[in-house]
Amino acid sequence: MSIEVHELLVFPGPDGRAGNPLGVILDGARVPDADRQRIAAELNYSETVFVDDAATGAIRIFTPAAELPFAGHPTVGTAWLLAQEGTPATALRPPAGTVPVRYEPELTWVSGRPEWAPPINFRQLASAAEVDAYPQPTEGNTYVWAWIDEAAGVVRSRSFPVALGISEDEATGAAAVALVGQVQRRVEIHQGVGSVLVAGPTGEGLVELGGRVSAVRRFALDGPR
């Protein structure tokens, strides 16, 4: 059996640079549960999404090492792809719960809860230069950040979710949601080598997360036999 994979770039900057690669399998219901972690490890994106039911928004999200109940760049990317395929979503439903979706001409938005993020060791540093120079951790899930312009809400960050099988994540939506849960304000996050995420509280414990998405390619992967 052959499985079609859509490779997307989520949270690139306004110039189209950087962004976090994402794999989305729209016909995820064809892939048995027992094969999903293996396929995610083989694809080796920071996350791979299996869309079990596009009509209801039922999805599941895997890193190369583990399944996640919620993640930001996979939900933003999947919502964008469903719209491109002619089936825009009003909500996605990963295991964590209902994720509202809305669309703007340039940005796709999802909403999640800070408590849905995996355990993260947040470290606020004194400057963007310290973030840039931060050494690669060997374990845990560390997110380092600093204000570029605190008055304007502009943040520099890097994410090291080593425990999830990722040495450094280029653009981490769940961490952005959790960070907003701490600072309780709208922020524009410049992460990795040039990715841009926008997030802010919307009330009732929800944080809205938005960014750009672009298609890279689609290809066939040999699936379970």
Side-chain angles (χ1 to χ4, degrees):
M1 183 179 75
S2 181
I3 300 167
E4 185 177 61
V5 180
H6 293 256
E7 181 179 325
L8 309 178
L9 201 58
V10 185
F11 301 130
D15 58 0
R17 191 171 65 93
N20 202 356
L22 173 71
V24 181
I25 298 169
L26 289 175
D27 199 7
R30 295 176 60 222
V31 182
D33 286 357
D35 293 302
R36 296 185 178 197
Q37 188 64 70
R38 175 185 60 79
I39 289 171
E42 180 178 342
L43 289 170
N44 201 37
Y45 299 115
S46 55
E47 281 96 1
T48 297
V49 177
F50 297 85
V51 179
D52 286 336
D53 189 334
T56 64
I59 64 171
R60 290 177 59 193
I61 305 165
F62 291 79
T63 77
E67 182 174 6
L68 301 178
F70 167 76
H73 108 274
T75 49
V76 169
T78 301
W80 179 88
L81 180 60
L82 290 174
Q84 295 299 303
E85 294 290 308
T87 55
T90 58
L92 296 177
R93 292 176 174 82
T98 299
V99 176
V101 174
R102 71 178 179 91
Y103 299 95
E104 292 181 353
E106 286 196 19
L107 305 183
T108 299
W109 295 86
V110 302
S111 293
R113 297 184 178 277
E115 60 266 27
W116 289 351
I120 301 169
N121 175 26
F122 284 98
R123 296 197 63 186
Q124 183 179 359
L125 304 180
S127 69
E130 289 189 21
V131 173
D132 292 341
Y134 196 82
Q136 170 71 53
T138 58
E139 60 185 8
N141 185 2
T142 301
Y143 184 93
V144 295
W145 69 280
W147 293 111
I148 296 174
D149 183 337
E150 186 171 0
V154 182
V155 167
R156 173 76 177 108
S157 77
R158 293 173 68 193
S159 175
F160 304 97
V162 179
L164 298 176
I166 306 161
S167 57
E168 180 169 356
D169 207 345
E170 172 61 26
T172 316
V177 170
L179 179 64
V180 169
Q182 294 187 7
V183 301
Q184 285 297 305
R185 59 177 293 187
R186 183 181 176 92
V187 293
E188 179 182 284
I189 300 171
H190 295 250
Q191 186 175 328
V193 299
S195 300
V196 178
L197 307 81
V198 182
T202 61
E204 299 182 349
L206 286 172
V207 172
E208 190 172 53
L209 171 71
R212 298 170 181 83
V213 185
S214 61
V216 176
R217 61 174 177 148
R218 63 175 69 184
F219 61 94
L221 179 74
D222 288 336
R225 295 172 176 84

